[in-house]
């Protein structure tokens, strides 16, 4: 079956494509009427079933988690906000953009003015109607310099926000053809009055109303009866996320029937999980990567030669095979891979070179050990990865001291706070958004403290450049700059590896945009009748 047919069958099975549209599209692909009808019968036989309690066991929850979407940080808050929250747009599995609260999004010729028409008839959980004022207030709150929003970096180009009847007009300082993609950012949950009154209320217009919120323990939702897309999402009566940060316990919960799906299956146990009856491994390549982050503005990592020594002391091929067991691809110390359009080409792959690393290390003048922080929650196999790196660095005469941090508090107290630590990024839909979120000088999530005026200017130029050939060259030059000057070590890009009890759950679809079907698994899957 072709990719197009697979996608059509997935949409049909979820009730997101009518039989008439399925047959018409199949015919356009050259299928006979008989074959198209047979495929349609199979696809529509899997139509969603309403009812029951659908449960997920997820890594990435902490006692300090908040319902304020501006503060979404790790996997649990990411997935839960996709249950109760609704957005202007969302990303599609094929890399496109689907309008949600935004009925239409139109741009001026220079991509500096964007007009968003707000869809009629969408209701918040508190019974109020979603308006253009709510949309404007939401983006205003996240774009405020004092907001601490994880989306602040991608919104700094916005210079004006004006609601006008059913529309909101956004004025940008520089043109940006990626604006609709930015509005799908998982922090930008549309809230009453933008969340300015109570950002922690957990009120939006998503398929589930928040019923349980116990940070670090569990989160739950009850189906919202007036959800505007009720036939396409929100199939279970209730959904529940159980925080299970330990990988072994998470797998045991799935095997024992306490949950129906889990995230972050460790690559080293994938073959074992594949043998479990009624369980399916769902892995998909995307834009996610597992970095080693050095603060470029903090000693000893403010030393270029030391940073280069630490980059050259990374054995990426060994790391990929021993940590990810091949479920990924080698990285090259910039945050972009082949999943992105306009991916940079022709950049030399950095390789393990202990002799050259030793030369740079000696030139740096550093003596003593280098402290690296890691945790089980950083990414699957993060502790083993730190130890493997310690061994490769030793071959270059570099002593790495490993500090294993507890999972609870790692994302609030270690990541983006300590100068050398392991982390993960799920990637972003466009290169511009990835760089705006984590690498432009003013980004709150600049977790390598890479602050380079030349890089910033290149980013703004790329976002405003509508000629794809010129834009691709700018992105190429940016990748080279961050690879050579930045504090980022990217040993590999990971696959998202989830596991699902397929004997109990239906509707799963591969989505390279993020784990757990880009966070939508709980509201788009359903329990078998």
């Amino acid at each position: 079956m072709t990719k197009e047919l697979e996608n059509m069958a997935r949409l049909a099975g979820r009730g997101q494509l009518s039989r008439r549209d399925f047959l018409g599209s199949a015919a356009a692909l050259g299928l006979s009427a008989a074959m198209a009808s047979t495929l349609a019968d199979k696809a529509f036989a899997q139509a969603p079933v309403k009812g029951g309690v659908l449960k997920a066991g997820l890594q990435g929850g902490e006692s300090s988690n908040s319902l304020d979407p501006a503060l979404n940080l790790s996997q649990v808050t990411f997935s839960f906000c996709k249950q109760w929250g609704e957005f202007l747009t969302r990303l599609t599995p094929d890399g496109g953009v689907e309008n949600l609260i935004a009925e239409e999004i139109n741009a001026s010729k220079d991509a500096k003015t964007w007009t968003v028409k707000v869809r009629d008839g969408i209701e918040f959980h508190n019974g109020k109607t979603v308006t253009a004022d709510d949309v404007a207030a939401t983006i205003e709150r996240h774009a405020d310099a004092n907001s601490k929003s994880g989306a602040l970096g991608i919104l700094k180009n916005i210079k004006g926000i004006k609601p006008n009847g059913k529309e909101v007009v956004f004025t940008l300082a520089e043109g940006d053809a990626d604006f609709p993609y930015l509005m799908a950012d998982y922090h930008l949950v549309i809230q009453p009055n933008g969340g300015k009154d109570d950002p922690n209320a957990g009120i939006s217009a998503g398929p589930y109303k928040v019923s349980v919120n116990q940070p670090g323990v569990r989160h739950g939702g009850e189906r919202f009866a007036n959800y505007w897309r009720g036939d396409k999402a929100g199939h279970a009566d209730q959904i529940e996320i159980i925080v299970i940060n330990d990988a072994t316990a998470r797998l045991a919960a799935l095997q024992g029937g306490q949950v129906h799906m889990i995230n972050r299956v460790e690559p080293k146990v994938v073959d074992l999980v594949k043998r479990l009856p009624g369980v399916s491994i769902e892995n998909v390549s995307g834009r996610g990567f597992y970095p080693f982050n050095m603060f470029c503005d903090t000693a000893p990592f403010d030393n270029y030669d030391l940073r280069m020594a630490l980059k050259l002391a990374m054995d990426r091929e060994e790391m990929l095979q021993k940590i990810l067991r091949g479920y990924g691809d080698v990285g090259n110390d910039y945050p972009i891979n082949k999943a992105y359009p306009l991916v940079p080409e022709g950049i030399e792959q950095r390789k393990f070179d202990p002799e050259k690393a030793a030369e740079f290390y000696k030139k740096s003048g550093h003596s003593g050990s280098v402290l690296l922080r890691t945790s089980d929650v950083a990414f699957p196999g993060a502790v083993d990865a730190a130890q493997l790196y310690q061994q490769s660095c030793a071959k270059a005469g570099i002593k790495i001291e490993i500090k294993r941090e507890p999972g609870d508090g790692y994302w609030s107290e270690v990541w983006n706070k300590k100068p050398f630590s392991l982390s993960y990024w799920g990637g972003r839909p466009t290169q511009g958004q990835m760089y705006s979120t984590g690498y432009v000088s003013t980004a709150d999530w600049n977790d390598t403290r890479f602050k380079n005026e030349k890089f910033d200017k290149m980013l703004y130029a790329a976002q405003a450049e509508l000629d794809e050939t010129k834009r691709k060259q700018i992105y190429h030059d940016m990748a080279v700059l961050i690879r050579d000057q930045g504090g980022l070590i990217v040993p590999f890009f990971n696959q998202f590896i989830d596991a699902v009890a397929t004997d109990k759950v239906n509707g799963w679809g591969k989505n390279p945009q993020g784990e757990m079907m880009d966070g939508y698994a709980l509201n788009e899957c359903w329990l078998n009748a």
Side-chain angles (χ1 to χ4, degrees), residues 286-288 329 334-341 343-344 431 493-494:
R287 302 178 179 91
D329 298 287
Y334 51 89
I336 305 300
N337 69 347
K338 60 186 178 183
Y340 286 89
V343 60
Q431 294 187 54
F493 285 81
N494 61 287

Side-chain angles (χ1 to χ4, degrees), residues 99-407:
N99 288 342
L100 294 177
I101 288 177
E103 184 175 11
E104 294 179 12
I105 302 182
N106 298 302
S108 60
K109 289 183 179 181
D110 60 2
K112 286 187 176 182
T113 302
W114 289 84
T115 302
V116 176
K117 181 180 179 182
V118 177
R119 197 181 300 271
D120 286 332
I122 298 180
E123 185 178 317
F124 282 123
H125 300 149
N126 62 5
K128 295 182 179 179
T129 300
V130 179
T131 68
D133 288 334
D134 297 311
V135 170
T138 295
I139 307 304
E140 283 173 355
R141 183 171 80 88
H142 289 269
D144 187 284
N146 298 315
S147 70
K148 302 302 180 184
S149 172
L152 179 60
I154 65 172
L155 301 178
K156 290 190 174 181
N157 190 32
I158 296 177
K159 297 305 178 184
I161 303 173
K162 184 178 181 180
N164 181 22
K166 295 181 179 180
E167 297 179 340
V168 183
V169 178
F170 295 90
T171 304
L172 311 184
E174 303 291 342
D176 188 352
D178 293 335
F179 182 80
Y181 288 88
L182 305 186
M183 294 299 101
D185 186 279
Y186 61 91
H187 301 90
L188 302 181
V189 173
I190 304 302
Q191 297 177 278
N193 195 28
K196 293 180 178 180
D197 302 322
D198 186 1
N200 299 291
I203 295 175
S204 184
Y208 289 97
K209 298 174 65 173
V210 175
S211 59
V212 177
N213 182 45
Q214 299 175 352
V217 182
R218 60 191 289 262
H219 305 271
E222 296 180 352
R223 184 195 294 135
F224 179 37
N226 295 333
Y227 180 55
W228 70 284
R229 299 170 69 240
D231 58 332
K232 297 179 180 180
H235 305 303
D237 292 335
Q238 300 176 49
I239 56 96
E240 183 176 357
I241 294 174
I242 302 173
V243 179
I244 312 176
N245 286 324
D246 180 79
T248 302
R250 201 160 55 250
L251 182 56
L254 178 67
Q255 191 174 4
Q258 284 82 38
V259 298
H260 301 105
M261 56 186 72
I262 61 173
N263 70 340
R264 293 295 184 92
V265 177
E266 294 189 321
K268 65 184 179 182
V269 301
V270 166
D271 289 340
L272 171 64
V273 178
K274 286 181 177 178
R275 295 196 293 269
L276 296 177
V279 173
S280 173
I281 284 288
E282 299 293 345
N283 59 296
V284 62
S285 297
R287 302 178 179 91
F289 61 97
Y290 298 151
F292 288 54
N293 294 326
M294 301 177 282
F295 284 2
C296 295
D297 63 355
T298 303
F301 310 103
D302 55 351
N303 184 314
Y304 166 83
D305 294 309
L306 179 63
R307 294 199 304 272
M308 188 59 69
L310 292 170
K311 293 175 184 179
L312 292 167
M314 170 68 73
D315 191 335
R316 291 162 181 76
E317 292 288 351
E318 181 183 43
M319 193 76 75
L320 175 64
Q321 296 305 318
K322 292 186 176 180
I323 302 301
L324 294 191
R325 307 298 173 99
Y327 287 95
D329 298 287
V330 168
N332 200 19
D333 298 346
Y334 51 89
I336 305 300
N337 69 347
K338 60 186 178 183
Y340 286 89
L342 307 183
V343 60
E345 297 175 345
I347 300 176
E348 182 181 0
Q349 174 63 52
R350 180 163 285 148
K351 296 182 179 179
F352 178 47
D353 192 335
E355 292 184 1
K356 198 169 183 179
E359 292 176 7
F360 274 101
Y361 184 65
K362 182 179 179 179
K363 187 179 177 182
S364 76
H366 182 77
S367 61
S369 62
V370 176
L371 180 61
L372 172 65
R373 288 176 166 85
T374 186
S375 173
D376 291 320
V377 303
F379 58 80
V383 174
D384 292 339
Q387 294 170 346
L388 195 61
Y389 182 56
Q390 183 183 53
Q391 294 168 18
S392 68
C393 282
K395 296 176 182 178
I398 303 172
K399 183 180 179 180
I400 298 293
E401 178 187 348
I402 298 173
K403 184 174 182 181
R404 186 172 180 173
E405 301 279 4

Side-chain angles (χ1 to χ4, degrees), residues 367-519:
S367 61
S369 62
V370 176
L371 180 61
L372 172 65
R373 288 176 166 85
T374 186
S375 173
D376 291 320
V377 303
F379 58 80
V383 174
D384 292 339
Q387 294 170 346
L388 195 61
Y389 182 56
Q390 183 183 53
Q391 294 168 18
S392 68
C393 282
K395 296 176 182 178
I398 303 172
K399 183 180 179 180
I400 298 293
E401 178 187 348
I402 298 173
K403 184 174 182 181
R404 186 172 180 173
E405 301 279 4
D408 192 37
Y410 188 76
W411 299 113
S412 56
E413 302 300 328
V414 178
W415 173 76
N416 210 15
K417 298 288 180 64
K418 302 300 182 181
F420 195 23
S421 67
L422 274 64
S423 180
Y424 83 94
W425 277 90
R428 292 298 185 270
T430 69
Q431 294 187 54
Q433 188 174 354
M434 184 69 245
Y435 287 135
S436 295
T437 304
Y439 301 96
V440 72
S441 297
T442 54
D444 281 352
W445 281 16
N446 187 335
D447 56 8
T448 58
R449 302 298 189 270
F450 177 65
K451 299 177 181 180
N452 185 293
E453 184 177 354
K454 181 179 179 181
F455 180 89
D456 294 349
K457 290 181 178 178
M458 292 166 72
L459 173 60
Y460 302 139
Q463 290 175 328
E465 181 56 68
L466 300 182
D467 183 303
E468 285 199 352
T469 301
K470 294 179 180 179
R471 200 179 202 195
K472 183 174 183 178
Q473 183 60 49
I474 298 173
Y475 280 143
H476 172 279
D477 296 343
M478 291 172 68
V480 171
L481 186 59
I482 201 169
R483 172 185 181 272
D484 293 343
Q485 299 294 327
L488 182 66
I489 304 176
V490 182
F492 38 48
F493 285 81
N494 61 287
Q495 292 186 10
F496 299 111
I497 309 178
D498 303 312
V500 186
T502 47
D503 60 339
K504 299 176 182 177
V505 176
N506 210 328
W508 190 278
K510 291 186 180 296
N511 192 326
Q513 304 298 345
E515 66 179 29
M516 301 299 290
M517 294 171 54
D518 197 28

